[in-house]
């Protein structure tokens, strides 16, 4: 702690008096200010040491502090780090390079995803991973930066987030040796909430589009994501930017993060700005040539797109659900929200429209429609928890007859991560629609009497749309078969479903 305070004082003592003229002052007087500008990423990470907790901005590869991460990777003497980040980039870039170099002891993340090295180290007992809901990470960091020691949330109630037992560390035999602790709970207005503690880092490493020598920052599009809350919660915050502008060039109402939060700033040496999943808009002809598995997904999602109503605010989960943005009825307006910080998300881009700072929650390239807005992850999840969404469409591994959802983990085999799904299904006024194939690859049913996989949410699903049929979840009763896919019968649905259900009187083939 003393060493960190000394570093903060050393940073503050780098006083380089420069003349900056602030427009709009009646006196027209010059202002002397101290510069927080550093010459290189290697110089900027001075004081980072083994055992530190680092808050890392970015989402996937969008908006990551590329140069600062490379500087840490060059310092092989820095070991046993705790990294707080939504995910870990890819195996060969971003935060993933620190996993490759074995400099990280513990990851505090929401999503493992497609980073095979991240998953391998976790399941192989080489890495501690504290998995948290994405919105909970964002709010814990925001709270830490705001001096709030703890808060209560609906997210995770009834799941292992509440009861504890989520594996943090396995041994080489696959046994859990460290598990998450149960949460303290409290009832407000008849509902149970979990207590979560604020997070503060020894250092925060963030990336912005523009900044000045006072440390004021401006983000571009969806690259605000976790950068904004992380910037406020570091004992020492280091920001790298694509462009350093003169003090005064950034208008006060343009600045996203005030320089009061930033201790060091540098112009990044080089930027690759990789896109994790470059995804382009497909023509009807291209869709017809897709593999059968993808055609099946599109069949499901075209039916899901019928759920949209004019004026709705909707979140689309990663994977299959996000495809729905391409099948909205052109006669209606639907405002699509992506939890990484977009409202008014459009379809996948053409090659000419691709921008590395515009990705969705699945790290796929997207567009923003006229009137759309971008914001940080903590603001995004405030919208979600605050019941601003009318509907969310999610993928699923299992759904029970009561509407319990599992979609984040197969113990010891597959770890997708909690992501934002727990936050989305916890919003009590948002309709939850789950899209998934009716059965697994081996033919076993995914719709069951009771889930066998860890829960994402309890009694949270309103409608299930599969390649075979549409079920509604009727509270305190169970499933009601509403629609059939072409070629299906009630008997074929019974044969492929792992629980009993009622049949609507007007059930018919509709898609």
């Amino acid at each position: 702690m003393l060493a960190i305070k000394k570093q903060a004082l050393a940073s503050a003592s780098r006083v380089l008096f420069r003349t900056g003229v602030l427009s709009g002052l009646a006196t027209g007087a010059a202002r002397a200010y101290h510069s927080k500008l550093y010459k290189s990423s290697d110089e900027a990470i001075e004081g980072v040491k083994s055992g530190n907790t680092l808050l890392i901005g970015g989402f996937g590869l969008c908006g990551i502090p590329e140069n600062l991460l490379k500087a840490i990777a060059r310092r092989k003497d820095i070991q046993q780090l705790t990294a707080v980040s939504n995910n870990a980039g890819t195996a060969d870039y971003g935060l993933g390079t620190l996993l490759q170099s074995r400099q990280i002891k513990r990851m505090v993340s929401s999503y493992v995803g497609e980073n095979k090295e991240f998953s391998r180290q976790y399941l192989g007992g080489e890495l501690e991973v504290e998995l948290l809901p994405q919105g909970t990470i964002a709010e814990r960091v925001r709270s830490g930066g705001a001096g709030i020691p703890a808060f209560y949330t609906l997210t995770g109630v009834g799941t292992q987030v509440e009861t504890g037992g989520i594996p943090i560390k396995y041994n080489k035999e696959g046994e859990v040796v460290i598990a998450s602790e149960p949460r303290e709970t409290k009832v407000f207005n008849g509902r149970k909430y979990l207590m979560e503690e604020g997070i503060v880092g020894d250092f925060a490493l963030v990336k912005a589009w523009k900044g000045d020598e006072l440390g004021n920052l401006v983000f571009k599009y969806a690259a605000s994501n976790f950068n904004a809350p992380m910037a406020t919660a570091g004992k020492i915050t280091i920001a790298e930017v694509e462009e350093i502008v003169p003090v005064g060039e950034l208008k006060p109402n343009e600045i996203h993060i005030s320089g009061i939060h930033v201790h060091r700033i540098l112009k990044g040496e080089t930027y690759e700005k990789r896109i994790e999943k470059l995804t382009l808009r497909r023509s009807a002809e291209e869709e017809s040539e897709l593999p059968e598995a993808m055609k099946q997904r599109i069949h499901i999602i075209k039916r899901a797109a019928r759920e949209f109503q004019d004026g709705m605010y909707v979140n689309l989960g990663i994977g299959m659900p996000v495809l729905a943005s391409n099948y909205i009825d052109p006669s209606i307006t639907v405002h699509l929200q992506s939890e990484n910080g977009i409202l008014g998300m459009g379809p996948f881009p053409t090659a000419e429209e691709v921008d590395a700072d515009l990705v969705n929650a699945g790290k796929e390239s997207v567009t923003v429609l006229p009137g759309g807005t971008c914001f940080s992850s903590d603001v995004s999840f405030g919208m979600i928890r605050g019941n601003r969404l009318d509907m969310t469409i999610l993928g699923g591994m299992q759904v029970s007859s009561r509407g319990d959802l599992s979609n984040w983990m197969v113990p010891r085999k597959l770890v997708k991560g909690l992501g934002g799904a727990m936050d989305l299904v916890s919003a009590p006024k948002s309709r939850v629609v789950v899209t998934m194939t009716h059965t697994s690859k081996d033919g076993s049913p995914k719709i069951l009497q009771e889930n066998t996989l860890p829960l994402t949410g309890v009694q949270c699903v309103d409608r299930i749309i599969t390649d075979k049929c549409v079920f509604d979840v009727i509270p305190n009763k169970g499933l009601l078969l509403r629609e059939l896919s072409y070629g299906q019968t009630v008997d074929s649905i019974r044969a492929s479903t792992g629980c009993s259900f009622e049949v609507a009187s007007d059930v018919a083939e509709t898609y």
Side-chain angles (χ1 to χ4, degrees):
M1 178 67 73
L2 182 59
I4 295 296
K5 288 182 177 179
K6 287 181 177 179
Q7 286 297 325
L9 290 171
S11 177
S13 69
R14 292 170 53 89
V15 180
L16 303 174
F17 284 97
R18 301 171 183 254
T19 301
V21 180
L22 298 185
S23 60
L25 289 179
T27 61
R31 173 188 175 190
Y33 58 86
H34 76 267
S35 172
K36 301 176 181 180
L37 184 63
Y38 279 63
K39 295 178 181 178
S40 69
S41 54
D42 291 316
E43 181 186 23
I45 66 164
E46 176 188 355
V48 177
K49 63 180 183 180
S50 296
N52 278 168
T53 294
L54 305 184
L55 310 182
I56 313 292
F59 188 90
L61 297 181
C62 178
I64 61 170
E66 300 180 31
N67 296 283
L68 293 171
L69 290 173
K70 290 176 183 177
I72 298 289
R74 287 192 289 268
R75 289 281 306 278
K76 303 304 182 187
D77 58 307
I78 300 176
Q79 299 286 326
Q80 299 290 297
L81 295 169
T82 294
V84 182
S85 176
N86 180 64
N87 48 11
T90 59
D92 64 344
Y93 206 70
L95 194 51
T97 59
L98 299 188
L99 292 176
Q100 293 277 14
S101 60
R102 303 297 195 276
Q103 290 172 267
I104 296 176
K105 176 185 178 183
R106 175 177 286 208
M107 288 291 305
V108 181
S109 300
S110 84
Y111 195 68
V112 176
E114 296 74 34
N115 189 327
K116 293 182 180 180
E117 180 63 15
F118 191 177
S119 178
R120 189 197 67 76
Q121 288 190 24
Y122 174 45
L123 294 175
E126 301 173 25
L127 177 71
E128 297 177 11
V129 179
E130 185 177 351
L131 288 169
L132 299 171
Q134 189 177 138
T136 295
I137 294 180
E139 189 63 16
R140 286 182 66 176
V141 172
R142 190 205 67 82
S143 295
I148 299 171
F151 61 91
Y152 286 92
T153 178
L154 282 169
T155 301
V157 170
T159 74
Q160 282 186 293
V161 173
E162 176 188 348
T163 61
I166 298 176
I168 292 176
K169 180 73 182 294
Y170 292 97
N171 62 20
K172 299 202 180 291
E173 288 71 45
E175 301 167 326
V176 178
V177 292
I178 304 175
S180 65
E181 296 292 329
R183 297 295 196 269
E184 179 181 320
T185 65
K186 190 170 183 178
V187 175
F188 297 91
N189 300 318
R191 298 195 66 138
K192 185 194 291 185
Y193 288 73
L194 310 184
M195 191 184 81
E196 297 283 0
E197 297 183 6
I199 294 176
V200 174
D202 297 312
F203 289 84
L205 311 182
V206 302
K207 188 263 179 181
W209 179 33
K210 295 180 181 180
D212 63 25
E213 292 187 38
L214 294 178
N216 296 311
L217 303 178
V218 175
F219 302 109
K220 184 182 177 188
Y221 296 136
S224 177
N225 52 58
F226 276 87
N227 280 301
M230 298 292 192
T232 69
K235 295 173 185 175
I236 295 178
T237 293
I238 310 171
E240 62 170 82
V241 299
E242 294 180 42
E243 182 181 355
I244 296 286
V245 301
V247 171
E249 182 171 314
L250 298 177
K251 302 298 185 290
N253 61 335
E254 295 175 335
I255 294 168
H256 296 134
I257 292 293
S258 171
I260 194 171
H261 296 295
V262 178
H263 303 86
R264 306 173 187 177
I265 189 168
L266 70 145
K267 184 180 185 300
E269 290 90 340
T270 59
Y271 284 105
E272 291 188 41
K273 296 186 71 167
R274 296 185 188 180
I275 299 174
E276 192 166 338
K277 297 179 183 178
L278 178 60
T279 311
L280 302 179
R281 200 175 308 165
R282 297 190 186 98
S283 66
E285 292 76 19
E286 288 172 321
E287 281 192 5
S288 67
E289 298 173 359
L290 291 172
E292 286 303 314
M294 180 57 73
K295 289 180 181 179
Q296 182 184 53
R297 289 157 64 92
I298 292 174
H299 174 66
I300 296 169
I301 216 63
K302 282 183 175 180
R303 170 57 189 85
R306 298 184 198 171
E307 299 294 306
F308 296 134
Q309 297 177 22
D310 194 28
M312 267 188 167
Y313 289 89
V314 180
N315 179 283
L316 302 178
I318 65 174
M320 190 191 310
V322 80
L323 297 172
S325 63
N326 298 288
Y327 302 104
I328 298 173
D329 183 339
S331 68
I332 66 173
T333 298
V334 177
H335 308 280
L336 296 180
Q337 195 252 22
S338 186
E339 59 262 39
N340 59 311
I342 303 174
L343 183 64
M345 184 172 64
F348 296 133
T350 63
E352 294 74 24
E353 294 173 321
V354 171
D355 190 313
D357 292 315
L358 266 179
V359 300
N360 61 23
K363 294 90 175 175
E364 299 165 309
S365 47
V366 292
T367 56
V368 175
L369 299 175
T373 57
C374 295
F375 33 84
S376 60
S377 295
D378 56 316
V379 172
S380 181
F381 281 96
M383 295 176 184
I384 293 166
R385 287 191 304 272
N387 285 307
R388 305 303 182 192
L389 297 179
D390 298 298
M391 181 172 68
T392 184
I393 302 179
L394 295 171
M397 293 178 178
Q398 292 178 345
V399 179
S400 77
S401 60
R402 300 185 309 161
D404 302 329
L405 173 65
S406 299
N407 73 350
W408 68 274
M409 185 183 195
V410 179
R412 300 185 184 181
K413 293 182 179 179
L414 174 67
V415 186
K416 293 175 64 178
L418 301 173
M422 275 194 183
D423 304 274
L424 288 159
V425 302
S426 297
K429 295 181 182 179
S430 179
R431 177 174 170 80
V432 176
V433 176
V434 170
T435 57
M436 64 181 186
T437 55
H438 203 91
T439 60
S440 300
K441 291 180 180 179
D442 63 3
S444 59
K446 292 184 177 181
I447 301 172
L448 306 167
Q449 189 65 36
E450 298 286 343
N451 293 31
T452 59
L453 298 175
L455 295 181
T456 303
V458 176
Q459 297 183 37
C460 59
V461 178
D462 297 290
R463 174 162 281 187
I464 309 166
I465 301 174
T466 77
D467 53 313
K468 296 178 181 291
C469 70
V470 176
F471 279 119
D472 278 346
V473 181
I474 309 301
N476 303 315
K477 291 185 178 181
L479 298 181
L480 178 65
L481 180 62
R482 284 286 190 190
E483 302 174 33
L484 296 169
S485 179
Y486 295 122
Q488 297 296 324
T489 65
V490 173
D491 287 341
S492 70
I493 300 304
R494 290 196 193 282
S496 56
T497 303
C499 62
S500 61
F501 56 85
E502 297 297 318
V503 181
S505 59
D506 59 348
V507 69
E509 297 178 24
T510 62
Y511 68 103

